[in-house]
């Protein structure tokens, strides 16, 4: 079992093994979103500048803010999650970059849902995701019933309860 700091440090080492990342001159952030925490790393010119682990995981925030994980995501729950995440990140002192690399199940599921929607496989879809796609998925999670959510291609049934909070995070 690793501490949050060790996990963040090792994620940074792993990310930097990718030459397309290691060779970049610009700065970027890495967000590793898990069930219990959000690891945030700031990478500048191929080196991890800062790394932190915040208690902002998908399971943790679903349990804190979502009264019924099988109900459509309420506007109030989404707003509370967003506010808590923004406050916690601001208090952490880490400065986010507009260039973000996401790792962890939520990012994979999001890409998988996008791929399935376009009739593609995960390897066929571009790895870049954007804010408008994210907003569209969050809106959908606030409108669909549990049965409809379970039928979304690319969304594993085992993650259907936490994906709404994960997308907001």
């Amino acid at each position: 079992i690793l501490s949050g700091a060790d996990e963040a440090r090792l994620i940074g080492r792993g990310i930097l093994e990718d030459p397309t990342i290691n060779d970049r001159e610009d700065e970027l952030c890495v967000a590793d979103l898990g069930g219990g925490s959000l690891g945030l790393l700031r990478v500048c010119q191929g080196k991890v500048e800062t790394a932190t682990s915040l208690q902002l995981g998908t399971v943790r925030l679903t349990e804190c803010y979502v009264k019924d994980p099988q109900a459509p995501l309420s506007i109030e729950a989404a707003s509370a999650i967003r506010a808590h995440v923004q406050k916690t990140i601001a208090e952490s002192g880490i400065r986010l970059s507009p260039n973000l690399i996401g790792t962890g199940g939520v990012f994979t599921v999001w890409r998988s849902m996008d791929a399935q929607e376009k009739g593609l496989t995960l390897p066929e879809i571009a790895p870049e995701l954007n804010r408008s796609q994210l907003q569209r998925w969050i809106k959908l999670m606030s409108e669909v019933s549990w049965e409809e959510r379970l039928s979304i291609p690319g969304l594993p049934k085992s993650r259907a309860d936490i994906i709404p909070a994960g997308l907001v995070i």
Side-chain angles (χ1 to χ4, degrees):
I1 297 178
L2 298 172
S3 70
D6 284 341
E7 182 182 19
R9 182 180 51 77
L10 291 171
I11 289 166
R13 285 182 54 190
I15 289 288
L16 291 175
E17 289 298 314
D18 183 334
T20 62
I21 295 168
N22 197 10
D23 294 342
R24 290 177 67 133
E25 294 294 321
D26 57 345
E27 56 187 49
L28 56 94
C29 284
V30 176
D32 179 54
L33 183 54
S37 65
L38 171 66
L40 285 177
L41 298 91
R42 187 167 176 73
V43 179
C44 296
Q45 297 180 341
K47 292 187 174 34
V48 175
E49 182 180 278
T50 56
T52 190
S53 179
L54 306 173
Q55 302 299 304
L56 297 174
T58 55
V59 173
R60 183 182 308 273
L61 295 192
T62 296
E63 290 173 349
C64 288
Y65 294 102
V66 180
K67 289 181 183 163
D68 180 0
Q70 293 186 0
L73 181 67
S74 71
I75 293 170
E76 296 79 15
S79 296
I81 292 168
R82 189 175 296 108
H84 180 71
V85 169
Q86 289 171 342
K87 179 179 184 265
T88 304
I89 291 173
E91 289 173 350
S92 77
I94 196 162
R95 190 171 48 91
L96 298 180
S97 163
N99 301 310
L100 177 73
I101 294 175
T103 64
V106 169
F107 292 101
T108 303
V109 169
W110 177 13
R111 285 188 62 227
S112 178
M113 292 186 307
D114 268 357
Q116 292 283 324
E117 187 178 58
K118 294 174 176 132
L120 301 170
T121 64
L122 192 57
E124 293 173 323
I125 195 165
E128 292 83 17
L129 299 165
N130 65 52
R131 185 176 296 269
S132 65
Q133 290 171 314
L134 175 61
Q135 296 301 335
R136 190 174 58 75
W137 283 111
I138 292 170
K139 184 176 184 308
L140 180 70
M141 294 300 157
S142 71
E143 297 171 344
V144 298
S145 69
W146 177 246
E147 292 75 24
E148 291 169 313
R149 193 184 315 163
L150 290 176
S151 69
I152 295 173
L155 174 56
K157 290 179 182 18
S158 62
R159 297 290 183 242
D161 57 340
I162 61 170
I163 195 68
L167 292 170
V168 173
I169 296 166

